[in-house]
Amino acid sequence: MTDLSFFHAPRSVAVIGASDNPDKIGGRPIRYMSALGYAGALYPVNPSRPSIQGLPSHPSVEALPEVPEVAVIAVAGQAAVDAVATCARLGVRGCVVMSSGFGETPDPDGRRRQDEMLTTARRAGMRIVGPNTQGLASFGSGAVLGFSTMFTEEPPADGPVAVVSQSGAMCSVPYGMLRRRGIGVRYAHATGNDADVSAAELATTVVADPDVRLLLLYLEDIRSPAAVEELAEVAARRGVPVVALSGGRSVGGQRAAASHTGALANETRVVDAFFERLGIWRARNSTDLTAAVDLYLQAPLRPRRDGADRGLAIVSNSGAICVLAADAAADHDLRLAHFSPQTRERLDAVLPTFAATANPVDVTAALMTDSSLFGKVLPVISADPGVEACVIGIPVAGRGYDIASIVADVQAFAQDGTFPVAVAIAQPEVGAVFGEAGLAVFDDEATAVASLAQVTRHAEFAAAALGRPRLSARRPATSARTLDEADSLAALAGLGIPTVAATRCADAAEAVAAFDALGRVPVVLKGCSAAVTHKSDLGLVRLGLADADDVASTARELLGTLARNGFAGSVIVAPMVGAALEVMVGAHLDPVFGPVVVLGAGGTTVEMIPDVRVLLPPFGAAEARAAVASLRMAPLLGPVRGEDAADVDAWVDAAVRLGDEMTRAGSQVVSVDVNPMMLRRGAGGGAVAVDAVVLVEGGVEP
């Protein structure tokens, strides 16, 4: 990956297809750079005009007094391809191709022209942003190599936030949201088709800037996980939080992403796991992308203090807001802090006797007559070791309140930097005063609590991500074959994963012999064929057989069903495994991310009502155990009505073993589906795979 910082502060810029009209696409870069004080040489290129917006115009790039470091290309079709070729031949370092009609369209000629452009640039070592890009904007240097209308609607101001997006709209939208809130934006980059320079690659250069403190990222696809891993590592070294929005989470969204950028979106659960692994927070929509920006800028991300019993403190001059904030905390699984006895004593000493000093703290309407109450309460809360975040709700203030004094007290509390502080204020004119003091202000307690939940969890993600190894380079083989169930179970046993004692039987007599060998305990009979992976669909599973004659007749019936459907096969006989929870664990090779492990609730409804978590190996037992704890079924795993807790360690061990196998050099396993795995209760109870499908690379045994 080359250094792309020359795009941010180029020594010289040529605008090919420059327009004298400052509102035209070819005119806006010149207008913006002239207005923002870009200090480099700016060369309009247009053979039809002697001057462009007061600057001398040049008939061609060859006619310029120097080779520009960067060229902005605002001509269409083949003319854009030819302009790229000229720039490459002359030694231009980078081109920003704003023109559309290339790889983002279904037209094969568009794809051909994009490939031609890319080949020409690569031969010369020139980098291309685009095509089909809104362009790049670096407000620290004034180098606006793009045409966004939003820069006119919301005037630029340099600041600590960077926005990098594949989509032009999803660059402009967060930029506009931030500027309307008075937050400065240092970079607003849109990369378009990502034919060469990807959004992740450009963002890596952006987060290396010491003046950037937060990155907002929009990706419509992830073609190179390694580029995003590099971005995350650079951001982590600098302590820059990354909040990412990835489009195409639904089937319809995937189709839209394909038509818009020429690339399919990635499956949402895998992307969730990928971002979490890297310490990146995944936003769900454009509002979510910017909602917590003020909190991120308030102080560096910090994982929760040492100890498990940490939580949210709530302070307000309204009992109702205290209740609603507590409800919002429950909605986001935020624990309320339990104040120490010393904290309670100190609060009792400074608050009126009728005030509530447990958490939430209601200072009551006495704040109107004593504006120092927050100044007395907040330092006490700051010193409590059980607090990891605080929301301050002020629903009513204004005339009669000493706003300046209250703001000063809250500001001192927040600037202490011990933990994030959000202020919920319903009155815009009052909230503006708090915002001007650098405080994170929200319209209501619900959004304030949601943002606090985000930054505290993001801190945990980021801390856990430090030092994690890169993802495996394994990808799906060109061909694979399915093992039948007997061979699948044997393959799992070879990996050290406990499996049910299944016996392959060619006929009814062998099935009865297997039944006898098991001591005539109740057994399961299944049709066994590599061609049938969903056996229950054909009625090839029979449970609880306890009689030799039933075993014999069922074996004949299952073999007959296989034959009638054109499948060669056998039957397997295995003992019933009861008194256990049905869970599942599986793994496969994702074409983009490589090895993926899935664990969750098992049984026949796993696809209809999925309760699963995705892990990207390599990972250890602690990560797998945390994934299990986050499942909706997690409460069922603990002691239930006198029964022992489930042996989660056995389940976790199976997941780790699968992850290790999927990343092992030389492994031929392509996919594993264990459902159900019977998870027993009690320490050492274990977990047993009773049904499995394994795929291996074509023609080779695992």
Tab-separated table of all heavy atoms in Angstrom, residues 618-676:
chain	number	residue	atom	x	y	z
A	618	PRO	N	-8.238	-16.811	13.965
A	618	PRO	CA	-8.069	-17.531	15.223
A	618	PRO	C	-8.676	-16.801	16.415
A	618	PRO	O	-8.637	-15.576	16.475
A	618	PRO	CB	-6.546	-17.625	15.368
A	618	PRO	CG	-6.037	-16.437	14.615
A	618	PRO	CD	-6.970	-16.233	13.478
A	619	PHE	N	-9.243	-17.576	17.338
A	619	PHE	CA	-9.773	-17.024	18.580
A	619	PHE	C	-9.569	-18.048	19.682
A	619	PHE	O	-9.311	-19.231	19.416
A	619	PHE	CB	-11.262	-16.674	18.442
A	619	PHE	CG	-12.137	-17.844	18.036
A	619	PHE	CD1	-12.607	-18.754	18.966
A	619	PHE	CD2	-12.490	-18.024	16.706
A	619	PHE	CE1	-13.394	-19.833	18.588
A	619	PHE	CE2	-13.279	-19.101	16.319
A	619	PHE	CZ	-13.732	-20.006	17.262
A	620	GLY	N	-9.667	-17.595	20.914
A	620	GLY	CA	-9.472	-18.468	22.055
A	620	GLY	C	-10.766	-18.760	22.782
A	620	GLY	O	-11.852	-18.302	22.392
A	621	ALA	N	-10.642	-19.507	23.873
A	621	ALA	CA	-11.815	-19.914	24.637
A	621	ALA	C	-12.552	-18.725	25.220
A	621	ALA	O	-13.787	-18.728	25.289
A	621	ALA	CB	-11.405	-20.883	25.742
A	622	ALA	N	-11.817	-17.680	25.633
A	622	ALA	CA	-12.477	-16.526	26.255
A	622	ALA	C	-13.412	-15.840	25.261
A	622	ALA	O	-14.533	-15.448	25.613
A	622	ALA	CB	-11.435	-15.539	26.767
A	623	GLU	N	-12.967	-15.697	23.999
A	623	GLU	CA	-13.827	-15.062	22.995
A	623	GLU	C	-15.041	-15.930	22.689
A	623	GLU	O	-16.159	-15.426	22.530
A	623	GLU	CB	-13.028	-14.799	21.722
A	623	GLU	CG	-11.997	-13.704	21.861
A	623	GLU	CD	-11.152	-13.580	20.611
A	623	GLU	OE1	-11.681	-13.132	19.578
A	623	GLU	OE2	-9.958	-13.941	20.654
A	624	ALA	N	-14.844	-17.236	22.590
A	624	ALA	CA	-15.974	-18.125	22.317
A	624	ALA	C	-16.967	-18.115	23.475
A	624	ALA	O	-18.183	-18.124	23.269
A	624	ALA	CB	-15.469	-19.537	22.056
A	625	ARG	N	-16.444	-18.065	24.700
A	625	ARG	CA	-17.332	-18.039	25.864
A	625	ARG	C	-18.134	-16.739	25.899
A	625	ARG	O	-19.329	-16.732	26.233
A	625	ARG	CB	-16.498	-18.203	27.142
A	625	ARG	CG	-17.316	-18.582	28.377
A	625	ARG	CD	-16.426	-18.931	29.534
A	625	ARG	NE	-15.710	-20.178	29.315
A	625	ARG	CZ	-14.405	-20.277	29.062
A	625	ARG	NH1	-13.669	-19.181	29.009
A	625	ARG	NH2	-13.843	-21.430	28.864
A	626	ALA	N	-17.512	-15.635	25.530
A	626	ALA	CA	-18.232	-14.361	25.477
A	626	ALA	C	-19.315	-14.396	24.406
A	626	ALA	O	-20.405	-13.836	24.588
A	626	ALA	CB	-17.254	-13.220	25.202
A	627	ALA	N	-19.036	-15.058	23.297
A	627	ALA	CA	-20.045	-15.189	22.245
A	627	ALA	C	-21.238	-15.989	22.739
A	627	ALA	O	-22.395	-15.635	22.494
A	627	ALA	CB	-19.429	-15.849	21.009
A	628	VAL	N	-20.984	-17.069	23.458
A	628	VAL	CA	-22.078	-17.875	24.025
A	628	VAL	C	-22.908	-17.044	24.996
A	628	VAL	O	-24.143	-17.083	24.988
A	628	VAL	CB	-21.505	-19.127	24.722
A	628	VAL	CG1	-22.595	-19.824	25.546
A	628	VAL	CG2	-20.921	-20.087	23.699
A	629	ALA	N	-22.227	-16.242	25.827
A	629	ALA	CA	-22.933	-15.436	26.833
A	629	ALA	C	-23.831	-14.387	26.196
A	629	ALA	O	-24.778	-13.912	26.834
A	629	ALA	CB	-21.920	-14.767	27.754
A	630	SER	N	-23.559	-14.006	24.946
A	630	SER	CA	-24.360	-12.979	24.282
A	630	SER	C	-25.581	-13.538	23.569
A	630	SER	O	-26.402	-12.771	23.055
A	630	SER	CB	-23.494	-12.231	23.261
A	630	SER	OG	-23.184	-13.064	22.154
A	631	LEU	N	-25.740	-14.844	23.512
A	631	LEU	CA	-26.890	-15.454	22.843
A	631	LEU	C	-28.172	-15.224	23.639
A	631	LEU	O	-28.156	-15.107	24.861
A	631	LEU	CB	-26.668	-16.956	22.673
A	631	LEU	CG	-25.509	-17.386	21.762
A	631	LEU	CD1	-25.258	-18.881	21.905
A	631	LEU	CD2	-25.805	-17.029	20.308
A	632	ARG	N	-29.286	-15.213	22.934
A	632	ARG	CA	-30.580	-15.085	23.622
A	632	ARG	C	-30.849	-16.299	24.508
A	632	ARG	O	-31.553	-16.203	25.506
A	632	ARG	CB	-31.706	-14.908	22.591
A	632	ARG	CG	-31.638	-13.613	21.812
A	632	ARG	CD	-32.928	-13.336	21.049
A	632	ARG	NE	-33.264	-14.382	20.110
A	632	ARG	CZ	-32.803	-14.458	18.858
A	632	ARG	NH1	-31.950	-13.540	18.416
A	632	ARG	NH2	-33.160	-15.438	18.045
A	633	MET	N	-30.323	-17.459	24.115
A	633	MET	CA	-30.553	-18.671	24.893
A	633	MET	C	-29.650	-18.759	26.119
A	633	MET	O	-29.766	-19.700	26.915
A	633	MET	CB	-30.306	-19.911	24.016
A	633	MET	CG	-28.842	-20.134	23.666
A	633	MET	SD	-28.516	-21.773	22.947
A	633	MET	CE	-28.889	-22.858	24.305
A	634	ALA	N	-28.749	-17.791	26.319
A	634	ALA	CA	-27.763	-17.875	27.399
A	634	ALA	C	-28.379	-18.156	28.778
A	634	ALA	O	-27.809	-18.932	29.558
A	634	ALA	CB	-26.919	-16.608	27.433
A	635	PRO	N	-29.540	-17.544	29.124
A	635	PRO	CA	-30.104	-17.856	30.449
A	635	PRO	C	-30.420	-19.331	30.645
A	635	PRO	O	-30.421	-19.827	31.786
A	635	PRO	CB	-31.382	-16.999	30.487
A	635	PRO	CG	-31.105	-15.856	29.557
A	635	PRO	CD	-30.287	-16.454	28.450
A	636	LEU	N	-30.666	-20.070	29.566
A	636	LEU	CA	-30.965	-21.499	29.686
A	636	LEU	C	-29.729	-22.311	30.041
A	636	LEU	O	-29.842	-23.474	30.435
A	636	LEU	CB	-31.548	-22.032	28.364
A	636	LEU	CG	-32.845	-21.401	27.874
A	636	LEU	CD1	-33.226	-21.988	26.520
A	636	LEU	CD2	-33.962	-21.631	28.889
A	637	LEU	N	-28.564	-21.710	29.871
A	637	LEU	CA	-27.329	-22.445	30.100
A	637	LEU	C	-26.925	-22.470	31.564
A	637	LEU	O	-26.090	-23.280	31.967
A	637	LEU	CB	-26.195	-21.831	29.273
A	637	LEU	CG	-26.443	-21.799	27.763
A	637	LEU	CD1	-25.353	-21.002	27.068
A	637	LEU	CD2	-26.516	-23.216	27.200
A	638	GLY	N	-27.488	-21.589	32.365
A	638	GLY	CA	-27.168	-21.556	33.787
A	638	GLY	C	-27.982	-22.575	34.549
A	638	GLY	O	-28.764	-23.336	33.978
A	639	PRO	N	-27.810	-22.621	35.869
A	639	PRO	CA	-28.636	-23.526	36.680
A	639	PRO	C	-30.119	-23.200	36.492
A	639	PRO	O	-30.520	-22.034	36.556
A	639	PRO	CB	-28.178	-23.236	38.114
A	639	PRO	CG	-26.824	-22.624	37.963
A	639	PRO	CD	-26.856	-21.856	36.681
A	640	VAL	N	-30.926	-24.199	36.226
A	640	VAL	CA	-32.353	-24.007	35.964
A	640	VAL	C	-33.154	-24.956	36.849
A	640	VAL	O	-33.047	-26.180	36.713
A	640	VAL	CB	-32.694	-24.271	34.482
A	640	VAL	CG1	-34.190	-24.098	34.251
A	640	VAL	CG2	-31.907	-23.336	33.583
A	641	ARG	N	-33.932	-24.396	37.790
A	641	ARG	CA	-34.854	-25.175	38.633
A	641	ARG	C	-34.193	-26.413	39.222
A	641	ARG	O	-34.672	-27.539	39.070
A	641	ARG	CB	-36.096	-25.567	37.836
A	641	ARG	CG	-36.938	-24.363	37.449
A	641	ARG	CD	-38.252	-24.760	36.842
A	641	ARG	NE	-39.073	-23.592	36.572
A	641	ARG	CZ	-40.297	-23.644	36.047
A	641	ARG	NH1	-40.843	-24.812	35.770
A	641	ARG	NH2	-40.979	-22.540	35.825
A	642	GLY	N	-33.056	-26.201	39.857
A	642	GLY	CA	-32.396	-27.298	40.529
A	642	GLY	C	-31.425	-28.075	39.673
A	642	GLY	O	-30.646	-28.887	40.195
A	643	GLU	N	-31.454	-27.857	38.343
A	643	GLU	CA	-30.502	-28.547	37.469
A	643	GLU	C	-29.181	-27.785	37.426
A	643	GLU	O	-29.144	-26.569	37.578
A	643	GLU	CB	-31.063	-28.665	36.057
A	643	GLU	CG	-32.277	-29.575	35.953
A	643	GLU	CD	-32.683	-29.742	34.501
A	643	GLU	OE1	-32.897	-28.713	33.826
A	643	GLU	OE2	-32.772	-30.883	34.039
A	644	ASP	N	-28.099	-28.519	37.199
A	644	ASP	CA	-26.789	-27.894	37.100
A	644	ASP	C	-26.691	-27.054	35.829
A	644	ASP	O	-27.462	-27.227	34.870
A	644	ASP	CB	-25.689	-28.960	37.078
A	644	ASP	CG	-25.560	-29.685	38.401
A	644	ASP	OD1	-25.897	-29.079	39.435
A	644	ASP	OD2	-25.137	-30.861	38.395
A	645	ALA	N	-25.723	-26.155	35.824
A	645	ALA	CA	-25.454	-25.368	34.622
A	645	ALA	C	-24.934	-26.277	33.520
A	645	ALA	O	-24.333	-27.330	33.765
A	645	ALA	CB	-24.423	-24.282	34.928
A	646	ALA	N	-25.183	-25.886	32.283
A	646	ALA	CA	-24.694	-26.652	31.137
A	646	ALA	C	-23.176	-26.562	31.062
A	646	ALA	O	-22.556	-25.589	31.510
A	646	ALA	CB	-25.317	-26.121	29.856
A	647	ASP	N	-22.570	-27.590	30.493
A	647	ASP	CA	-21.111	-27.645	30.369
A	647	ASP	C	-20.679	-26.810	29.159
A	647	ASP	O	-20.292	-27.337	28.110
A	647	ASP	CB	-20.653	-29.096	30.223
A	647	ASP	CG	-19.134	-29.235	30.265
A	647	ASP	OD1	-18.456	-28.209	30.448
A	647	ASP	OD2	-18.643	-30.368	30.084
A	648	VAL	N	-20.750	-25.492	29.319
A	648	VAL	CA	-20.428	-24.573	28.228
A	648	VAL	C	-18.992	-24.756	27.768
A	648	VAL	O	-18.677	-24.596	26.581
A	648	VAL	CB	-20.696	-23.121	28.670
A	648	VAL	CG1	-20.157	-22.132	27.642
A	648	VAL	CG2	-22.186	-22.904	28.883
A	649	ASP	N	-18.097	-25.123	28.676
A	649	ASP	CA	-16.694	-25.292	28.303
A	649	ASP	C	-16.527	-26.331	27.200
A	649	ASP	O	-15.655	-26.187	26.319
A	649	ASP	CB	-15.861	-25.696	29.519
A	649	ASP	CG	-15.654	-24.536	30.487
A	649	ASP	OD1	-15.903	-23.385	30.081
A	649	ASP	OD2	-15.241	-24.785	31.634
A	650	ALA	N	-17.353	-27.389	27.230
A	650	ALA	CA	-17.253	-28.421	26.200
A	650	ALA	C	-17.671	-27.873	24.843
A	650	ALA	O	-17.071	-28.189	23.807
A	650	ALA	CB	-18.126	-29.620	26.583
A	651	TRP	N	-18.702	-27.060	24.837
A	651	TRP	CA	-19.168	-26.418	23.595
A	651	TRP	C	-18.105	-25.457	23.067
A	651	TRP	O	-17.774	-25.443	21.869
A	651	TRP	CB	-20.472	-25.692	23.905
A	651	TRP	CG	-21.208	-25.095	22.752
A	651	TRP	CD1	-20.990	-25.294	21.424
A	651	TRP	CD2	-22.310	-24.199	22.852
A	651	TRP	NE1	-21.892	-24.566	20.677
A	651	TRP	CE2	-22.707	-23.896	21.531
A	651	TRP	CE3	-22.994	-23.616	23.911
A	651	TRP	CZ2	-23.763	-23.022	21.264
A	651	TRP	CZ3	-24.050	-22.771	23.653
A	651	TRP	CH2	-24.439	-22.471	22.335
A	652	VAL	N	-17.560	-24.666	23.980
A	652	VAL	CA	-16.514	-23.707	23.610
A	652	VAL	C	-15.307	-24.435	23.040
A	652	VAL	O	-14.710	-24.011	22.040
A	652	VAL	CB	-16.128	-22.862	24.839
A	652	VAL	CG1	-14.786	-22.164	24.632
A	652	VAL	CG2	-17.225	-21.845	25.142
A	653	ASP	N	-14.938	-25.550	23.648
A	653	ASP	CA	-13.787	-26.319	23.169
A	653	ASP	C	-14.003	-26.786	21.740
A	653	ASP	O	-13.082	-26.731	20.901
A	653	ASP	CB	-13.540	-27.510	24.081
A	653	ASP	CG	-12.343	-28.344	23.637
A	653	ASP	OD1	-11.209	-27.856	23.760
A	653	ASP	OD2	-12.561	-29.463	23.135
A	654	ALA	N	-15.208	-27.230	21.421
A	654	ALA	CA	-15.501	-27.670	20.054
A	654	ALA	C	-15.371	-26.515	19.071
A	654	ALA	O	-14.833	-26.677	17.967
A	654	ALA	CB	-16.909	-28.268	19.992
A	655	ALA	N	-15.860	-25.327	19.467
A	655	ALA	CA	-15.765	-24.164	18.584
A	655	ALA	C	-14.308	-23.779	18.337
A	655	ALA	O	-13.912	-23.478	17.204
A	655	ALA	CB	-16.529	-22.989	19.195
A	656	VAL	N	-13.485	-23.789	19.391
A	656	VAL	CA	-12.070	-23.438	19.247
A	656	VAL	C	-11.360	-24.451	18.355
A	656	VAL	O	-10.542	-24.092	17.492
A	656	VAL	CB	-11.394	-23.346	20.624
A	656	VAL	CG1	-9.873	-23.172	20.467
A	656	VAL	CG2	-11.975	-22.183	21.423
A	657	ARG	N	-11.663	-25.734	18.543
A	657	ARG	CA	-11.039	-26.773	17.704
A	657	ARG	C	-11.407	-26.583	16.236
A	657	ARG	O	-10.557	-26.743	15.347
A	657	ARG	CB	-11.452	-28.162	18.185
A	657	ARG	CG	-10.806	-28.577	19.498
A	657	ARG	CD	-11.304	-29.934	19.974
A	657	ARG	NE	-10.752	-30.296	21.260
A	657	ARG	CZ	-9.585	-30.922	21.428
A	657	ARG	NH1	-8.858	-31.264	20.370
A	657	ARG	NH2	-9.158	-31.213	22.644
A	658	LEU	N	-12.670	-26.256	15.976
A	658	LEU	CA	-13.063	-26.009	14.590
A	658	LEU	C	-12.321	-24.801	14.015
A	658	LEU	O	-11.849	-24.826	12.877
A	658	LEU	CB	-14.570	-25.771	14.507
A	658	LEU	CG	-15.470	-26.982	14.352
A	658	LEU	CD1	-16.903	-26.535	14.121
A	658	LEU	CD2	-15.017	-27.866	13.208
A	659	GLY	N	-12.236	-23.731	14.809
A	659	GLY	CA	-11.512	-22.550	14.347
A	659	GLY	C	-10.061	-22.855	14.040
A	659	GLY	O	-9.508	-22.408	13.029
A	660	ASP	N	-9.418	-23.637	14.911
A	660	ASP	CA	-8.017	-24.010	14.688
A	660	ASP	C	-7.867	-24.832	13.412
A	660	ASP	O	-6.907	-24.651	12.647
A	660	ASP	CB	-7.479	-24.800	15.886
A	660	ASP	CG	-7.319	-23.947	17.129
A	660	ASP	OD1	-7.346	-22.705	17.007
A	660	ASP	OD2	-7.178	-24.523	18.230
A	661	GLU	N	-8.807	-25.756	13.176
A	661	GLU	CA	-8.724	-26.583	11.976
A	661	GLU	C	-8.923	-25.756	10.706
A	661	GLU	O	-8.213	-25.946	9.713
A	661	GLU	CB	-9.765	-27.705	12.030
A	661	GLU	CG	-9.848	-28.553	10.764
A	661	GLU	CD	-8.549	-29.304	10.457
A	661	GLU	OE1	-7.737	-29.521	11.382
A	661	GLU	OE2	-8.355	-29.673	9.286
A	662	MET	N	-9.856	-24.827	10.744
A	662	MET	CA	-10.145	-24.036	9.552
A	662	MET	C	-8.990	-23.114	9.183
A	662	MET	O	-8.862	-22.695	8.037
A	662	MET	CB	-11.420	-23.215	9.755
A	662	MET	CG	-12.672	-24.042	10.004
A	662	MET	SD	-13.060	-25.213	8.674
A	662	MET	CE	-13.587	-24.104	7.378
A	663	THR	N	-8.134	-22.769	10.149
A	663	THR	CA	-6.995	-21.898	9.858
A	663	THR	C	-5.697	-22.680	9.691
A	663	THR	O	-4.665	-22.091	9.369
A	663	THR	CB	-6.800	-20.866	10.989
A	663	THR	OG1	-6.628	-21.546	12.235
A	663	THR	CG2	-8.001	-19.938	11.087
A	664	ARG	N	-5.740	-23.989	9.897
A	664	ARG	CA	-4.520	-24.805	9.827
A	664	ARG	C	-4.023	-24.910	8.398
A	664	ARG	O	-4.771	-25.224	7.483
A	664	ARG	CB	-4.789	-26.196	10.407
A	664	ARG	CG	-3.577	-27.115	10.420
A	664	ARG	CD	-3.902	-28.448	11.059
A	664	ARG	NE	-4.914	-29.193	10.325
A	664	ARG	CZ	-4.647	-29.962	9.261
A	664	ARG	NH1	-3.399	-30.066	8.803
A	664	ARG	NH2	-5.624	-30.610	8.657
A	665	ALA	N	-2.747	-24.657	8.211
A	665	ALA	CA	-2.154	-24.817	6.894
A	665	ALA	C	-2.263	-26.284	6.475
A	665	ALA	O	-1.929	-27.196	7.230
A	665	ALA	CB	-0.693	-24.384	6.920
A	666	GLY	N	-2.753	-26.526	5.290
A	666	GLY	CA	-2.912	-27.880	4.797
A	666	GLY	C	-4.254	-28.504	5.098
A	666	GLY	O	-4.543	-29.626	4.637
A	667	SER	N	-5.100	-27.828	5.862
A	667	SER	CA	-6.425	-28.381	6.137
A	667	SER	C	-7.220	-28.503	4.841
A	667	SER	O	-7.159	-27.634	3.976
A	667	SER	CB	-7.182	-27.481	7.115
A	667	SER	OG	-8.516	-27.934	7.261
A	668	GLN	N	-7.959	-29.599	4.729
A	668	GLN	CA	-8.798	-29.804	3.553
A	668	GLN	C	-10.279	-29.639	3.884
A	668	GLN	O	-11.131	-29.821	3.017
A	668	GLN	CB	-8.531	-31.194	2.969
A	668	GLN	CG	-7.117	-31.312	2.413
A	668	GLN	CD	-6.642	-32.746	2.310
A	668	GLN	OE1	-7.353	-33.674	2.684
A	668	GLN	NE2	-5.420	-32.931	1.823
A	669	VAL	N	-10.584	-29.284	5.129
A	669	VAL	CA	-11.975	-29.083	5.518
A	669	VAL	C	-12.454	-27.745	4.980
A	669	VAL	O	-11.840	-26.710	5.197
A	669	VAL	CB	-12.128	-29.121	7.047
A	669	VAL	CG1	-13.569	-28.830	7.446
A	669	VAL	CG2	-11.701	-30.485	7.587
A	670	VAL	N	-13.570	-27.772	4.267
A	670	VAL	CA	-14.142	-26.575	3.658
A	670	VAL	C	-15.324	-26.064	4.464
A	670	VAL	O	-15.523	-24.854	4.608
A	670	VAL	CB	-14.573	-26.868	2.207
A	670	VAL	CG1	-15.314	-25.685	1.598
A	670	VAL	CG2	-13.366	-27.240	1.351
A	671	SER	N	-16.112	-26.980	5.006
A	671	SER	CA	-17.312	-26.588	5.739
A	671	SER	C	-17.675	-27.674	6.739
A	671	SER	O	-17.487	-28.865	6.461
A	671	SER	CB	-18.471	-26.355	4.754
A	671	SER	OG	-19.682	-26.107	5.439
A	672	VAL	N	-18.192	-27.252	7.895
A	672	VAL	CA	-18.648	-28.177	8.938
A	672	VAL	C	-19.976	-27.666	9.468
A	672	VAL	O	-20.123	-26.473	9.749
A	672	VAL	CB	-17.633	-28.268	10.100
A	672	VAL	CG1	-18.174	-29.162	11.212
A	672	VAL	CG2	-16.291	-28.781	9.615
A	673	ASP	N	-20.943	-28.552	9.605
A	673	ASP	CA	-22.232	-28.195	10.204
A	673	ASP	C	-22.570	-29.265	11.230
A	673	ASP	O	-22.838	-30.413	10.862
A	673	ASP	CB	-23.312	-28.123	9.123
A	673	ASP	CG	-24.671	-27.722	9.674
A	673	ASP	OD1	-24.729	-27.338	10.860
A	673	ASP	OD2	-25.653	-27.792	8.935
A	674	VAL	N	-22.502	-28.899	12.504
A	674	VAL	CA	-22.856	-29.826	13.578
A	674	VAL	C	-24.148	-29.327	14.195
A	674	VAL	O	-24.169	-28.336	14.923
A	674	VAL	CB	-21.750	-29.899	14.651
A	674	VAL	CG1	-22.136	-30.906	15.737
A	674	VAL	CG2	-20.417	-30.270	14.027
A	675	ASN	N	-25.248	-30.021	13.921
A	675	ASN	CA	-26.558	-29.618	14.450
A	675	ASN	C	-27.505	-30.819	14.446
A	675	ASN	O	-27.857	-31.326	13.390
A	675	ASN	CB	-27.150	-28.502	13.612
A	675	ASN	CG	-28.487	-28.021	14.155
A	675	ASN	OD1	-28.716	-28.052	15.359
A	675	ASN	ND2	-29.381	-27.617	13.272
A	676	PRO	N	-27.888	-31.263	15.651
A	676	PRO	CA	-27.527	-30.659	16.932
A	676	PRO	C	-26.265	-31.253	17.528
A	676	PRO	O	-25.858	-32.359	17.214
A	676	PRO	CB	-28.727	-30.983	17.806
A	676	PRO	CG	-29.207	-32.293	17.286
A	676	PRO	CD	-28.958	-32.276	15.805
